[in-house]
Amino acid sequence: QSALTQPASVSGSPGQSITISCTGTSSDVGGYNYVSWYQQHPGKAPKLMIYDVSNRPSGVSNRFSGSKSGNTASLTISGLQAEDEADYYCSSYTSSSTPVFGGGTKLTVL
Amino acid sequence: EVQLVESGGGLVQPGGSLRLSCAASGFTVSSNYMSWVRQAPGKGLEWVSVIYSGGSTYYADSVKGRFTISRDNSKNTLYLQMNSLRAEDTAVYYCARDFVGGLGAFDIWGQGTMVTVSS
């Protein structure tokens, strides 16, 4: 199973909104509403931010939102804050009954 | 407190073996779908293996036939037996709970344990 495609980096200024894309195929992103997003700060374990395309776990800020159109899922962060600077990974359930991750996107808050 | 604590990482020679452990507290391993996810130095996340609550197991093609996932219900612990290790297996290994039943939503992660395969 090939990794999902994410941009290597995105950036934004405090208060702005940014969107990170995650492109797969009809065998993963496009075929199931089981896309998750993770935030990872350096040296730390990943943290679940979004699951099932657009659901937020308890305790995750509503500045984080997810969506999907066709084979591409997106994570939007509004009201960008300094602490949002991190690596972000998408993942999707696949037709192989296993998950696959994206390559990761480094978010820089300018 | 709900948490996962990995152990067992270290330096091993190519072709060697290592067993990783992941002790859970605050929830029952056998009632959940549990996975191992790894991250090579400076690289992204790679899913490695899952064990379903019913006992079924799945593996990434890169480790199939070399790694075995298992659990000990009495110890509430998850394991990853790694044989025939290669340099490309060098990574931080995380255990994680998939709370929506094997669909790839990992809500609890351990702190990770480093495995280095080198001569």
Side-chain angles (χ1 to χ4, degrees), chain A residues 1 34 36 38 40 43-48 51-52 57 89 91-93 96-104, chain B residues 35 37 39 43-47 50 52 58-59 61 94 98-100 102-107 109-112:
Chain A
Q1 192 74 38
Y34 300 130
S36 299
Y38 301 86
Q40 186 180 35
K44 301 295 186 182
K47 175 186 177 183
L48 181 65
Y51 68 97
D52 292 355
Y89 295 90
S91 76
S92 174
Y93 183 72
S96 300
S97 301
T98 59
V100 63
F101 284 97
Chain B
S35 275
V37 176
Q39 186 170 34
K43 302 298 183 181
L45 302 173
E46 179 188 15
W47 175 81
V50 63
Y52 286 4
Y58 292 87
Y59 299 91
D61 288 344
Y94 297 99
D98 187 336
F99 83 116
V100 288
L103 300 177
F106 304 112
D107 68 328
W109 294 70
Q111 83 286 356

Side-chain angles (χ1 to χ4, degrees), chain B residues 9 25 43 51 54 77 84 88 94 100 105 107 109 111 116 119:
Chain B
S25 56
K43 302 298 183 181
I51 183 167
T77 298
S84 303
E88 54 264 36
Y94 297 99
V100 288
D107 68 328
W109 294 70
Q111 83 286 356
T116 303
S119 55

Side-chain angles (χ1 to χ4, degrees), chain B residues 8-77:
Chain B
L11 174 64
V12 61
Q13 292 187 339
S17 298
L18 212 55
R19 188 179 81 157
L20 306 182
S21 300
C22 170
S25 56
F27 72 98
T28 304
V29 165
S30 61
S31 299
N32 286 272
Y33 290 60
M34 301 294 298
S35 275
W36 287 95
V37 176
R38 69 184 180 182
Q39 186 170 34
K43 302 298 183 181
L45 302 173
E46 179 188 15
W47 175 81
V48 173
S49 181
V50 63
I51 183 167
Y52 286 4
S53 55
S56 298
T57 58
Y58 292 87
Y59 299 91
D61 288 344
S62 58
V63 306
K64 200 172 296 183
R66 300 187 300 122
F67 290 11
T68 302
I69 191 171
S70 63
R71 65 190 181 208
D72 185 328
N73 297 345
S74 67
K75 295 182 178 179
N76 206 28
T77 298

